[in-house]
Amino acid sequence: MASVHESLYFNPMMTNGVVHANVFGIKDWVTPYKIAVLVLLNEMGRTGEGAVSLMERRRLNQLLLPLLQGPDITLSKLYKLIEESCPQLANSVQIRIKLMAEGELKDMEQFFDDLSDSFSGTEPEVHKTSVVGLFLRHMILAYSKLSFSQVFKLYTALQQYFQNGEKKTVEDADMELPSREESERKMEKEELDVSIREEEVSCSGPLSQKQAEFFLSQQASLLKNDETKALTPASLQKELNNLLKFNPDFAEAHYLSYLNNLRVQDVFSSTHSLLHYFDRLILTGAESKSNGEEGYGRSLRYAALNLAALHCRFGHYQQAELALQEAIRIAQESNDHVCLQHCLSWLYVLGQKRSDSYVLLEHSVKKAVHFGLPYLASLGIQSLVQQRAFAGKTANKLMDALKDSDLLHWKHSLSELIDISIAQKTAIWRLYGRSTMALQQAQLLLSMNSLDSVNAGVQQNNTESFAVALGHLAELHAEQGCFAAASEVLKHLKERFPPNSQHAQLWMLCDQKIQFDRAMNDGKYHLADSIVTGITALNSIEGVYRKAIVLQAQNQMSEAHKLLQKLLIHCQKIRNTEMVISVLLSVAELYWRSSSPTIALPVLLQALALSKEYRLQHLASETVLNLAFAQLILGIPEQALSLLHMAIEPILADGAVLDKGRAMFLVAKCQVASAASYEPLKKAAVLEAAIENLSEAKNYFAKVDCKEQIRDVVYFQARLYHTLGKTQERNRCAMLFRQLHQDLPFHGVPLINLL
Amino acid sequence: MAASSSVVPVVVSAAVVPALSSSGDFSNLREIKKQLLLIAGLTRERGLLHSSKWSAELAFSLPALPLSELQPPPPITEEDAQDMDAYTLAKAYFDVKEYDRAAHFLHGCNSKKAYFLYMYSRYLSGEKKKDDETVDSLGPLEKGQVKNEALRELRVELSKKHQARELDGFGLYLYGVVLRKLDLVKEAIDVFVEATHVLPLHWGAWLELCNLITDKEMLKFLSLPDTWMKEFFLAHIYTELQLIEEALQKYQNLIDVGFSKSSYIVSQIAVAYHNIRDIDKALSIFNELRKQDPYRIENMDTFSNLLYVRSMKSELSYLAHNLCEIDKYRVETCCVIGNYYSLRSQHEKAALYFQRALKLNPRYLGAWTLMGHEYMEMKNTSAAIQAYRHAIEVNKRDYRAWYGLGQTYEILKMPFYCLYYYRRAHQLRPNDSRMLVALGECYEKLNQLVEAKKCYWRAYAVGDVEKMALVKLAKLHEQLTESEQAAQCYIKYIQDIYSCGEIVEHLEESTAFRYLAQYYFKCKLWDEASACAQKCCAFNDTREEGKALLRQILQLRNQGETPSTEMPAPFFLPASLSANNTPTRRVSPLNLSSVTP
């Protein structure tokens, strides 16, 4: 089931789950690129109304905003952009830059002197307070602030920029053969470069401030939403190191490096980066006057909180608690309710690891609503729902709560929480044994791509909710015997969540479970046994349970019994009801397999009571199946039949294929058993019906490759046909049985004693 | 490396420098003196001023040579003669720091000396321009990007020469410096090692090597020439790597063989003592050094730190004024003045002077840390954090900065948060009790008493500087009602104090005696109890309690309860304990909860 704590990380580039770029205080500096844009603006002003058509002008205006606010781009790219909107203007811009770059320093100076003219006159071309006007004034101001040597540097930078652009265009335009002399020089240069190239690759040159910001926010959002699309951890770290080498004060890079280190589970480096980030943040917070002392204290609190999050992520719960206490104390001292609220949520997450008290959680939700923190509030609600679902609350209440929180999500466009909510619904339906509903919800989440307008173009692809939904989808398909589809889903999961990523364990467990079930169905117990170790590594309780099942199948009853008893006690202690019922069922099976069905009865009744109480329909019907079987063995087939009628409907509607087959098989057995006392005519009719049921069961078993069960069914059918005197059909079934019987080892348990 | 170095034409050493005696062999001091004088001349000719200074200083410490022993200047080769005019002119320009001009006139010269000067002036010109550039760059991001443009070209040219094996010892040195500046550490180390093989006398190459070696392991794997210079190098690097014992040993050896007058060695010894907090020794050595070399500015910042620690105001003031007279625009001077103001609690001014020191040399590590301390004093925690972080940026191994960061967060009442920083500091100085005590205090605040106990015990075991670890440990045991351990700790504490023989007022002494008195009283060891109670009476705060206890003891004794001689006496008086019962100071590995780095 989707757990929530992942999204609680305090991310400075994010509020309420939305990533913001541009959180860094930007100071404008004149760069060659900016000069090029200025030239463009100037040209636009100079060309009168007539020269440029209305459509072109409109396109140009649309182009301007991204040019003004975007990161620096190369000259050739800029030309191309302008050309796309207005070719003739591109030409004149190109000529002017060429003149300026190939001319003298005074050309540039003249250009900047002329710039301010655009404001003057009775009808100025540019309004002073417009976006363009502000940009122009910024640039003029920044230019006039430059010292003499800086002006010269700017000019050489412009020349460089121009030459790079030229080179590119020349290369693009025609691959002119270099002259002999040039090629010689080139040779020499290459020779020199060979040794240097390696280091050049590693530091691909400094980024400008805006480029760096763009890079950081892009990678951060990719890490959050679609990890596979982000750079690989190693190369991202390289980029970050490069960035930090040139500007050690770029605090956000440290944070990204922290996130990156989390990806590879490197506790040392991630702690280091996190603390470094906050050390840096503290000083920027102190510098900016708008935040003042408040900003400084705030980052301290969040620093402690993040440290707690980090420790929690790495499973150091005790350390996390200490850090959290610290955060809470500081937040309390400075009366920061929002931070306290975050702490409270974390406190719950930590508490959840130990015991399940929902008092904290309820309190947290109330407080979050009070402080107007929709994100935390719905996270709280979701945790609460999850917790209540395990505690056996009725479905309608839970669904109501989820619906209410969904309203909140849609209102605030919290797409991430919508995903979690749907994943949770999938899980809850699955828990209650309603596979159709679960299937529907899972499909709903996967086809949510149409919600792009809500997500504002952000595709969240590697969240936990997707992993959960896809995992359920795979299991559901496997249950219905669509193994190809299931493995397809798993393949997709593998691509989306590479094995070392955070949520990979989820699908790994699904994969192992499906493989285990198939191996068991096939009767390859040794294979199943080897899978058990894998499952145990991912989930110890599940592992022990499966181990017991394998032992049982291999007729090692006493070992299985020991294991199951231990597991039962443990699960009762941690209140894992689902597992308790499964274990009880296994214990019951163990009893009637060892020919003491009377002892199995109270165990089964206990399981039934539990599953009814917690409304676990799937388990309840399985229990009924077991009960009916026990009754059959005890010689009251009529009772068993009436019991079965109660359970058959939900099983056929929602149950796994294997369960369906078992149910039909059992029905047939009961029919035969109860027909013993009937008069011949009626008996024949009943037996016919039983044969029908048996073939249905056979179909189900065939879907999931249960050869053993098919063998039993065929044997039964053969006997029935014999009774009815249909020799031809009997012989056919008998032959089938013989084929299957030769393939399969015989386990020494009488056929009748298998459910 | 050794193989390649033998192939390199050993121009200088083959021509003029006789083979150096092997490591540790200082029997022929005259020979050494001759070599030092020679190299001092060679380095001076090439503008390597610091190496020249070092060699000359060392040579000065050895007895003077008679006229007959003095070496004639090395013979002038044909190449040298050709370049003589250009070289003379360029050297003059070089000396007045007109590097570009010098390089211009040296272009095309073939002799080794002229070639080196040519390359070196180009390098220095690049460095100078870089420093000037940093002042006016085009933007905040560009600030860190200012590079020495000449480095690339120099590297390419030098690497060609290197491959052709045309570089002499000085050329290799310059190549190494260029590589280091380009952050190619591995290659740089190789080249420096080669340089030391070709020209072991050049101290600059050794010194550069010192800066590049980060740990003892690295040192082990270097194949260094087996000469007497290696001894100096090893001593120096041991000091750098905080292996003080080994360093002191080496320096002592050097003094024993006849370098006793060398101010360099004396100052290094003083620094080493400073590093192991042996303040008195360091102070006396520094005082001696000042007498020998009154106008020395180097290492005076360390001296001022010592004076600061001992709060010797008048001495520090004298030193500050003296240095200010000698040269007020030296990093060390600024540092001393900063310390002086800090001691007078004028922290703003102190910070100002540290800032000035940083302006003079942005890579001067100590000033960042000291500035952090000043900001801490001013309660400006954010500025302090900034300063400490800068210090760490310059040198990750600066334990004082890590410790300072820890303290800052401790002041901000974030004990868990500061654990990380203290741990870092502890990693760098595993045997420094201050970090351990700080760690222990943090754990105590976090109520992690087990961890805290480990820290205090370890702090005691590695030799507690402030003598507080035992008391704190005892108090912890008291809290945990482990009275026996508590009593034992107090006993050890008292023993420690008495064995030190210091007459420093220890606040906790009374607490210790009070606890012990009560403890013995509970154990019904009347003699011991009354002895301790009597001690209590010597202190103001426990006098009343002591008297009361004495009365009680007297009362109980009078009631006829015989002092239980047959009772198992767990402890004796401190005096009897000292000889046989002191626990061995066994340093067990500090196994703190290891989940956090």
Side-chain angles (χ1 to χ4, degrees):
Chain A
M1 184 171 286
S3 78
V4 291
H5 51 268
E6 175 232 12
S7 12
L8 278 173
Y9 287 101
F10 163 71
N11 186 334
M13 287 176 244
M14 201 176 87
T15 45
N16 270 342
V18 183
V19 176
H20 292 300
N22 241 350
V23 286
F24 323 94
I26 294 172
K27 284 176 194 139
D28 269 327
W29 290 85
V30 190
T31 61
Y33 163 76
K34 297 248 173 72
I35 295 181
V37 175
L38 286 174
V39 170
L40 171 66
L41 287 174
N42 199 257
E43 276 298 314
M44 280 172 71
R46 280 212 315 201
T47 48
E49 292 288 314
V52 182
S53 74
L54 199 61
M55 268 313 286
E56 283 173 337
R57 187 159 280 272
R58 192 176 291 164
R59 279 205 298 265
L60 273 177
N61 288 343
Q62 270 182 343
L63 178 67
L64 272 186
L65 201 61
L67 283 186
L68 294 188
Q69 294 183 342
D72 289 12
I73 53 177
T74 61
L75 194 60
S76 46
K77 261 191 200 159
L78 181 69
Y79 284 152
K80 210 175 262 172
L81 281 176
I82 304 173
E83 214 157 28
E84 277 163 15
S85 351
C86 178
Q88 88 199 68
L89 203 60
N91 205 24
S92 53
V93 168
Q94 202 164 357
I95 291 168
R96 281 200 57 187
I97 292 177
K98 191 179 162 83
L99 283 178
M100 205 192 295
E102 289 180 346
E104 289 175 54
L105 183 58
K106 79 173 189 345
D107 292 324
M108 191 175 77
E109 283 174 335
Q110 187 62 42
F111 172 71
F112 274 96
D113 287 345
D114 292 345
L115 263 188
S116 47
D117 291 348
S118 38
F119 298 119
S120 58
T122 45
E123 218 171 277
E125 298 149 10
V126 183
H127 202 276
K128 272 192 172 180
T129 51
S130 67
V131 177
V132 174
L134 273 176
F135 176 71
L136 278 176
R137 283 159 61 203
H138 264 303
M139 284 301 115
I140 294 169
L141 188 67
Y143 178 76
S144 47
K145 266 166 129 182
L146 295 180
S147 70
F148 178 80
S149 61
Q150 281 173 324
V151 171
F152 183 68
K153 254 182 90 179
L154 178 65
Y155 187 64
T156 41
L158 177 69
Q159 280 177 328
Q160 189 76 32
Y161 183 66
F162 170 73
Q163 275 160 13
N164 286 347
E166 279 295 276
K167 224 192 288 168
K168 201 76 168 283
T169 43
V170 167
E171 272 172 27
D172 286 350
D174 46 358
M175 296 297 281
E176 193 183 332
L177 276 172
S179 63
R180 192 178 158 70
E181 199 179 320
E182 204 178 339
S183 72
E184 254 172 33
R185 212 171 30 178
K186 217 174 183 179
M187 283 279 282
E188 191 172 328
K189 215 174 147 208
E190 264 172 19
E191 193 184 325
L192 300 186
D193 281 350
V194 169
S195 50
I196 305 173
R197 189 155 295 159
E198 207 169 319
E199 84 200 66
E200 261 178 336
V201 172
S202 63
C203 61
S204 51
L207 300 161
S208 74
Q209 173 102 13
K210 268 194 179 167
Q211 279 170 331
E213 283 160 12
F214 179 69
F215 173 74
L216 286 185
S217 55
Q218 187 197 25
Q219 291 297 328
S221 81
L222 277 179
L223 278 191
K224 180 169 175 293
N225 296 322
D226 196 352
E227 205 180 300
T228 43
K229 282 206 190 102
L231 287 174
T232 58
S235 55
L236 181 56
Q237 196 60 43
K238 212 184 226 168
E239 285 289 325
L240 287 174
N241 288 345
N242 189 24
L243 195 72
L244 286 170
K245 200 166 95 193
F246 291 121
N247 192 345
D249 294 333
F250 219 77
E252 283 74 12
H254 287 293
Y255 194 83
L256 195 60
S257 145
Y258 154 63
L259 291 179
N260 194 31
N261 283 319
L262 276 187
R263 277 164 87 193
V264 290
Q265 317 260 319
D266 183 347
V267 62
F268 288 89
S269 320
S270 53
T271 322
H272 184 72
S273 296
L274 182 69
L275 296 188
H276 201 150
Y277 166 70
F278 277 104
D279 284 347
R280 292 283 172 194
L281 190 73
I282 282 163
L283 70 207
T284 45
E287 267 169 20
S288 63
K289 287 206 174 98
S290 57
N291 286 332
E293 193 53 32
E294 174 53 33
Y296 168 43
R298 182 168 176 272
S299 61
L300 276 185
R301 277 167 250 148
Y302 282 101
L305 185 60
N306 264 284
L307 198 60
L310 180 123
H311 282 306
C312 187
R313 172 83 173 253
F314 283 106
H316 313 151
Y317 297 122
Q318 200 202 356
Q319 313 281 325
E321 213 167 275
L322 288 173
L324 194 59
Q325 275 168 12
E326 204 156 285
I328 292 173
R329 195 172 37 71
I330 307 172
Q332 266 171 347
E333 274 167 17
S334 46
N335 263 339
D336 184 345
H337 290 287
V338 179
C339 182
L340 271 179
Q341 192 48 50
H342 278 282
C343 295
L344 191 56
S345 312
W346 270 106
L347 202 58
Y348 165 70
V349 172
L350 276 178
Q352 200 185 28
K353 306 283 177 203
R354 302 193 166 167
S355 64
D356 50 350
S357 89
Y358 48 86
V359 187
L360 262 181
L361 194 55
E362 271 181 352
H363 191 63
S364 160
V365 173
K366 272 181 212 152
K367 279 274 190 184
V369 174
H370 180 247
F371 290 116
L373 297 169
Y375 193 81
L376 281 182
S378 10
L379 268 183
I381 292 176
Q382 284 172 351
S383 303
L384 206 56
V385 165
Q386 175 178 349
Q387 205 262 329
R388 291 288 166 87
F390 285 130
K393 284 273 169 193
T394 50
N396 57 353
K397 275 189 188 160
L398 298 180
M399 287 298 162
D400 260 358
L402 277 181
K403 196 188 75 203
D404 288 347
S405 70
D406 271 351
L407 279 180
L408 216 62
H409 305 152
W410 289 102
K411 210 162 94 187
H412 296 277
S413 326
L414 301 171
S415 55
E416 194 186 329
L417 290 178
I418 297 172
D419 291 352
I420 296 181
S421 162
I422 295 177
Q424 217 170 19
K425 278 184 207 159
T426 315
I428 290 177
W429 283 125
R430 187 87 203 290
L431 181 71
Y432 286 142
R434 309 277 180 166
S435 54
T436 346
M437 288 304 287
L439 205 59
Q440 182 228 353
Q441 291 290 343
Q443 298 282 12
L444 183 63
L445 178 61
L446 297 179
S447 38
M448 283 275 276
N449 293 353
S450 52
L451 295 177
D452 273 345
S453 54
V454 178
N455 292 358
V458 179
Q459 265 258 333
Q460 302 195 321
N461 268 334
N462 70 336
T463 49
E464 195 179 4
S465 30
F466 269 90
V468 170
L470 282 168
H472 279 304
L473 202 60
E475 282 187 19
L476 285 170
H477 278 302
E479 267 181 13
Q480 297 308 321
C482 313
F483 293 115
S487 72
E488 199 66 28
V489 173
L490 280 171
K491 212 174 93 191
H492 178 69
L493 269 168
K494 234 172 263 184
E495 274 165 23
R496 217 184 235 194
F497 304 90
N500 55 359
S501 66
Q502 196 194 345
H503 305 305
Q505 290 195 349
L506 289 168
W507 63 257
M508 285 177 181
L509 187 59
C510 289
D511 191 16
Q512 303 267 358
K513 274 188 193 170
I514 291 172
Q515 281 185 35
F516 177 86
D517 287 339
R518 287 195 74 175
M520 287 302 287
N521 289 349
D522 248 3
K524 294 173 181 160
Y525 301 133
H526 57 281
L527 198 69
D529 202 25
S530 66
I531 296 171
V532 164
T533 34
I535 295 179
T536 318
L538 294 165
N539 184 346
S540 57
I541 294 180
E542 189 78 35
V544 174
Y545 173 62
R546 306 258 164 174
K547 179 80 195 167
I549 291 182
V550 174
L551 286 176
Q552 200 175 36
Q554 288 170 334
N555 286 333
Q556 298 175 344
M557 296 301 178
S558 56
E559 284 93 339
H561 188 250
K562 249 183 257 164
L563 263 186
L564 284 172
Q565 286 302 336
K566 248 188 235 163
L567 189 61
L568 186 64
I569 291 165
H570 180 64
C571 289
Q572 274 166 345
K573 207 164 80 190
I574 62 165
R575 298 200 200 154
N576 187 346
T577 320
E578 216 179 339
M579 190 47 85
V580 166
I581 297 170
S582 308
V583 172
L584 283 175
L585 285 178
S586 294
V587 171
E589 190 181 339
L590 219 148
Y591 284 141
W592 53 250
R593 274 180 75 150
S594 33
S595 315
S596 39
T598 34
I599 316 175
L601 275 182
V603 176
L604 283 172
L605 285 175
Q606 191 191 351
L608 188 63
L610 265 178
S611 46
K612 289 272 184 209
E613 187 191 334
Y614 285 91
R615 294 174 185 76
L616 308 175
Q617 188 201 300
H618 165 66
L619 288 168
S621 37
E622 189 148 340
T623 319
V624 171
L625 222 59
N626 273 296
L627 260 178
F629 183 68
Q631 284 174 336
L632 177 68
I633 296 175
L634 288 173
I636 33 174
E638 293 83 5
Q639 274 296 324
L641 255 183
S642 67
L643 244 182
L644 270 176
H645 279 303
M646 196 169 83
I648 200 92
E649 190 181 342
I651 288 180
L652 288 183
D654 286 320
V657 176
L658 184 62
D659 287 336
K660 287 183 197 172
R662 284 159 73 193
M664 293 317 292
F665 192 18
L666 191 59
V667 167
K669 279 191 207 169
C670 290
Q671 280 173 334
V672 175
S674 54
S677 54
Y678 294 163
E679 67 218 53
L681 204 62
K682 199 177 168 194
K683 190 174 171 183
V686 170
L687 290 185
E688 285 284 356
I691 288 177
E692 278 296 301
N693 286 339
L694 280 175
S695 4
E696 201 177 329
K698 194 169 74 182
N699 284 341
Y700 287 133
F701 285 135
K703 259 191 200 169
V704 281
D705 290 333
C706 290
K707 294 216 183 75
E708 257 180 272
Q709 270 91 343
I710 292 175
R711 180 187 63 186
D712 298 350
V713 170
V714 174
Y715 173 75
F716 242 81
Q717 270 184 329
R719 292 299 299 264
L720 289 181
Y721 281 130
H722 180 72
T723 324
L724 291 175
K726 296 184 175 174
T727 335
Q728 204 178 353
E729 282 92 343
R730 184 201 67 189
N731 288 350
R732 190 168 45 81
C733 287
M735 196 177 74
L736 262 176
F737 169 73
R738 178 139 180 77
Q739 276 172 2
L740 286 168
H741 194 62
Q742 270 170 348
D743 289 349
L744 292 169
F746 189 61
H747 284 292
V749 180
L751 284 179
I752 190 73
N753 273 6
L754 272 174
L755 175 65
Chain B
M1 187 52 57
S4 68
S5 65
S6 61
V7 188
V8 177
V10 190
V11 178
V12 181
S13 54
V16 287
V17 181
L20 266 63
S21 53
S22 67
S23 139
D25 179 16
F26 290 94
S27 53
N28 194 350
L29 279 184
R30 289 194 166 192
E31 199 51 48
I32 289 175
K33 167 122 184 174
K34 269 187 224 164
Q35 289 163 1
L36 281 170
L37 285 176
L38 175 73
I39 196 69
L42 287 177
T43 43
R44 193 171 54 242
E45 280 176 358
R46 284 163 178 78
L48 296 165
L49 303 176
H50 286 280
S51 295
S52 173
K53 185 175 117 188
W54 185 85
S55 317
E57 266 181 7
L58 207 59
F60 181 76
S61 70
L62 293 173
L65 294 171
L67 181 62
S68 59
E69 293 262 358
L70 277 182
Q71 258 189 339
I76 294 169
T77 61
E78 182 63 28
E79 277 181 333
D80 286 334
Q82 271 177 11
D83 296 336
M84 185 58 94
D85 294 343
Y87 168 76
T88 315
L89 178 65
K91 185 70 181 34
Y93 287 142
F94 182 91
D95 287 344
V96 291
K97 301 204 160 135
E98 294 182 326
Y99 300 120
D100 282 336
R101 215 169 162 193
H104 175 76
F105 284 101
L106 281 170
H107 189 73
C109 284
N110 289 321
S111 70
K112 298 278 175 200
K113 189 161 69 178
Y115 178 72
F116 176 81
L117 198 62
Y118 168 62
M119 295 306 263
Y120 192 50
S121 359
R122 279 173 66 190
Y123 166 75
L124 282 182
S125 130
E127 285 294 296
K128 184 162 174 280
K129 277 180 195 148
K130 186 184 90 176
D131 285 347
D132 296 347
E133 286 286 294
T134 21
V135 183
D136 48 15
S137 58
L138 274 180
L141 254 186
E142 215 170 53
K143 211 171 6 182
Q145 299 166 18
V146 182
K147 280 185 296 204
N148 185 345
E149 296 296 338
L151 285 179
R152 279 266 162 97
E153 293 167 25
L154 284 177
R155 183 194 164 195
V156 171
E157 286 176 35
L158 284 169
S159 77
K160 269 187 189 163
K161 284 249 180 188
H162 183 230
Q163 270 162 8
R165 310 208 173 284
E166 284 170 12
L167 288 178
D168 62 353
F170 294 110
L172 284 170
Y173 162 73
L174 184 60
Y175 183 39
V177 170
V178 169
L179 288 175
R180 184 174 69 84
K181 286 276 173 182
L182 287 168
D183 284 334
L184 300 166
V185 178
K186 238 181 90 200
E187 290 89 333
I189 290 178
D190 289 346
V191 172
F192 280 127
V193 170
E194 199 180 330
T196 55
H197 275 284
V198 176
L199 184 62
L201 281 173
H202 182 205
W203 178 240
W206 294 101
L207 208 58
E208 287 289 341
L209 211 49
C210 272
N211 292 331
L212 292 177
I213 291 171
T214 49
D215 51 45
K216 213 175 167 183
E217 290 302 306
M218 248 169 115
L219 186 61
K220 265 187 204 159
F221 289 108
L222 290 182
S223 75
L224 294 166
D226 193 27
T227 67
W228 55 268
M229 284 291 278
K230 191 180 172 188
E231 295 298 300
F232 283 92
F233 165 74
L234 286 178
H236 191 97
I237 194 142
Y238 285 149
T239 327
E240 290 279 305
L241 296 176
Q242 308 275 357
L243 303 164
I244 307 294
E245 296 290 323
E246 289 92 329
L248 281 175
Q249 185 60 42
K250 288 267 172 205
Y251 281 127
Q252 195 54 50
N253 285 345
L254 287 173
I255 284 186
D256 290 345
V257 297
F259 287 100
S260 55
K261 279 192 215 151
S262 162
S263 56
Y264 163 77
I265 292 179
V266 175
S267 66
Q268 284 294 107
I269 291 177
V271 170
Y273 276 123
H274 165 261
N275 282 356
I276 49 167
R277 319 289 301 173
D278 194 339
I279 295 169
D280 294 322
K281 265 206 183 124
L283 273 177
S284 70
I285 295 174
F286 266 122
N287 279 323
E288 193 57 36
L289 186 65
R290 293 261 306 154
K291 260 181 226 153
Q292 273 181 29
D293 189 1
Y295 291 94
R296 185 188 177 92
I297 291 183
E298 283 162 343
N299 303 112
M300 283 307 127
D301 47 341
T302 321
F303 185 34
S304 74
N305 283 348
L306 291 167
L307 293 173
Y308 180 89
V309 171
R310 275 288 142 91
S311 313
M312 296 159 91
K313 259 190 202 170
S314 56
E315 284 86 345
L316 188 54
S317 154
Y318 175 73
L319 180 69
H321 286 114
N322 192 241
L323 285 184
C324 197
E325 256 170 30
I326 301 169
D327 185 352
K328 63 178 175 176
Y329 292 118
R330 280 286 289 266
V331 181
E332 289 90 346
T333 310
C334 293
C335 210
V336 172
I337 299 175
N339 271 334
Y340 166 68
Y341 276 124
S342 179
L343 194 58
R344 291 175 51 113
S345 315
Q346 293 178 313
H347 299 296
E348 286 87 355
K349 276 195 177 170
L352 191 76
Y353 270 93
F354 290 131
Q355 272 168 0
R356 183 184 281 183
L358 284 171
K359 262 191 199 134
L360 289 169
N361 180 4
R363 287 171 286 276
Y364 182 62
L365 163 74
W368 278 120
T369 323
L370 289 172
M371 201 155 78
H373 293 333
E374 293 314 311
Y375 282 125
M376 281 276 285
E377 294 286 344
M378 291 191 265
K379 299 277 176 286
N380 186 351
T381 40
S382 58
I385 290 172
Q386 180 180 16
Y388 287 134
R389 266 293 171 191
H390 270 291
I392 291 169
E393 213 124 89
V394 181
N395 182 0
K396 265 189 195 167
R397 286 182 299 159
D398 183 23
Y399 69 94
R400 272 181 245 105
W402 286 111
Y403 184 69
L405 272 175
Q407 275 183 321
T408 318
Y409 282 108
E410 204 178 343
I411 283 184
L412 290 167
K413 292 186 197 153
M414 297 170 77
F416 182 77
Y417 206 77
C418 69
L419 272 183
Y420 171 80
Y421 297 103
Y422 283 141
R423 263 196 214 121
R424 290 299 282 236
H426 169 65
Q427 268 169 12
L428 293 166
R429 300 260 301 183
N431 288 334
D432 195 323
S433 65
R434 286 168 298 168
M435 283 83 186
L436 283 162
V437 172
L439 264 177
E441 280 171 357
C442 287
Y443 277 120
E444 209 178 326
K445 276 182 201 149
L446 291 169
N447 216 15
Q448 305 256 302
L449 300 183
V450 184
E451 312 286 339
K453 271 199 287 191
K454 281 184 204 162
C455 288
Y456 288 142
W457 174 250
R458 168 93 178 198
Y460 165 70
V462 297
D464 190 9
V465 180
E466 283 145 340
K467 309 271 174 224
M468 286 308 289
L470 272 178
V471 177
K472 285 179 191 287
L473 187 59
K475 283 186 176 159
L476 268 183
H477 283 305
E478 245 184 276
Q479 267 186 39
L480 294 168
T481 60
E482 297 165 344
S483 53
E484 275 188 29
Q485 281 101 318
Q488 199 152 26
C489 287
Y490 277 128
I491 291 172
K492 267 180 233 149
Y493 170 65
I494 289 168
Q495 274 171 6
D496 261 22
I497 287 175
Y498 281 91
S499 66
C500 274
E502 275 180 63
I503 319 163
V504 188
E505 189 58 43
H506 284 282
L507 284 172
E508 302 294 338
E509 214 177 316
S510 55
T511 336
F513 277 122
R514 183 176 58 194
Y515 184 83
L516 280 177
Q518 266 155 9
Y519 174 74
Y520 286 130
F521 183 74
K522 266 181 216 151
C523 295
K524 302 188 174 156
L525 295 165
W526 309 121
D527 290 336
E528 286 84 350
S530 67
C532 288
Q534 264 157 7
K535 286 269 186 195
C536 281
C537 297
F539 302 98
N540 281 331
D541 50 343
T542 52
R543 183 164 296 143
E544 291 309 313
E545 274 183 76
K547 281 179 183 166
L549 206 61
L550 275 177
R551 269 198 297 279
Q552 276 185 334
I553 294 168
L554 207 63
Q555 221 174 5
L556 284 171
R557 275 184 166 174
N558 287 346
Q559 277 173 8
E561 255 189 56
T562 49
S564 49
T565 39
E566 63 276 9
M567 247 182 147
F571 297 108
F572 302 98
L573 257 189
S576 60
L577 222 163
S578 58
N580 46 11
N581 211 7
T582 0
T584 47
R585 292 192 172 187
R586 192 169 50 83
V587 181
S588 56
L590 187 62
N591 184 22
L592 300 176
S593 64
S594 55
V595 274
T596 41

